[in-house]
Amino acid sequence: MSVIAPNFKLSEFIKSLLDNVFWIIFIVVLIGLPAIMMVLFVIEMPVIDGELLTPFLALTWIADPSRILPIVKAFMATDIFRVMAFPGFGFAALIAAGTIFIERKMLAKLQLRVGPFYCGKLEGILQLMGDGLKLISKEIIIPAKADKPIFWAAPVLFVATAAAFVAFIPVAPGWVVADVEMGLLGVFAVIGFFPIITILSAWSANSKFPFIGGIRALFQMVSFEIPLILSLLGVVMLTGSLNLSEIAASQSSFPWIVFLPVGAIVFFITMLAELERIPFDLPEAESEIVAGWLTELSGMMYGLVQLGTYLKLYAFAGLFVVLFLGGWNGPMIVPPFPAELLEKGIEMGPIVAGPFPGLPLFTQEMLNGTLWFVLKTVGVIFFILLPRGVFPRIRVDMLLNLGWTKLIGLAFINIFIALGLLYAGVLGPGGLQ
């Protein structure tokens, strides 16, 4: 039986376009206006030229760089900036978006595939915007017999849990959202929520394909969480701390991967399994069970899960960098801030402004640390993405056998290596002895 495509109607097209514009404006207003109000009325305003800056006076000084910089610097010192912009959600979301783009381009080159038509001049960079608009535009379809409250809540909880994971990752000295003494235990606690959210989402859909994928995800995550935790005990013993910032600072002379390569390998393999990346993508195996536990998710519900997945990928890559690759440590390659700009100011056309009381916005140490952290994290992300283009999917029995036997054995070997270095007096909380 032939299917006749519906006729194109300009009125319906304009209506759908206006609907998209409405939702975009609604989301921007919903997020933007409260953000502006918090900036103006929550942060502590600085004193400039002996005058306490008020929110309303700040709006009149936006055009004057010598006055606006202290406002920006005061805002960057607030918890709101750290959570929403850097090093929190905004910074992680930016890296996640770049990861999606690089993954597409890299896999297309590896597998000699021709992807979607290029959007724009820069290697199809606008494809990301097109995908975002597509997800916003798509209808969210809820299965008739689904447990609707849980089905709606699961994607939101997934993103929130991934964002909580990001909050523990230190990017530079002093730049971390949640700098807690038991930071590594907090990471383990957050990771433990992902299997629960996954199985709840799969069960609430009331469909066999999501449920099969959810059970696979539960088996996989639980099987690999134990060797993941064991692989990090060596680092904890040698540093004598569970604080991620202290662990990163302890690697100023050498990264721990030099002395604990077995632990780094075990952690990397378990990280791939926790992220459900090939060769461990059994929970989403599209060639077997459609899309696993994501099958019934549509529109922005699917988009939220994908956002959470890439935030989780960034957080795991950053955690690997902090634990094994020295974190933000690296040679000083960022030049110091020009002293002339601080002392004499700068000419901007007919206006000579300066000196600028708010400069520098960031210290040289912070910029250098952030640069090294980003470079190392991008390198780890590359090796996380690489297996998708070169390895096949393994069977579930092979996966469980790998997690419960081989990796746990290697993790214990890593612990014995750390104990040997510690009791031999070679390494310890103080570094080289």
Side-chain angles (χ1 to χ4, degrees), residues 13 61 124 154 156 194 207 213 216 224 228 309 336 349 370 429:
F13 173 74
W61 286 0
V156 179
F194 287 109
S207 176
R216 285 185 174 187
F224 283 81
L228 182 144
T309 299
T370 302

Side-chain angles (χ1 to χ4, degrees), residues 6-88:
N7 294 327
F8 173 78
K9 294 183 179 180
L10 181 61
S11 59
E12 293 183 0
F13 173 74
I14 294 176
K15 179 180 179 299
S16 63
L17 193 62
L18 291 176
D19 286 342
N20 294 337
V21 172
F22 167 78
W23 283 110
I24 293 172
I25 295 175
F26 178 78
I27 293 173
V28 170
V29 171
L30 191 66
I31 298 175
L33 288 182
I36 293 174
M37 297 302 291
M38 285 190 293
V39 169
L40 293 179
F41 296 100
V42 175
I43 68 171
E44 183 178 351
M45 290 293 179
V47 177
I48 302 177
D49 297 333
E51 183 180 5
L52 178 63
L53 191 63
T54 65
F56 302 102
L57 187 58
L59 294 175
T60 66
W61 286 0
I62 291 178
D64 187 351
S66 65
R67 295 180 180 269
I68 193 60
L69 286 175
I71 304 173
V72 174
K73 195 167 187 177
F75 174 56
M76 290 192 305
T78 63
D79 292 335
I80 297 172
F81 179 83
R82 290 175 182 264
V83 172
M84 300 302 298
F86 180 83

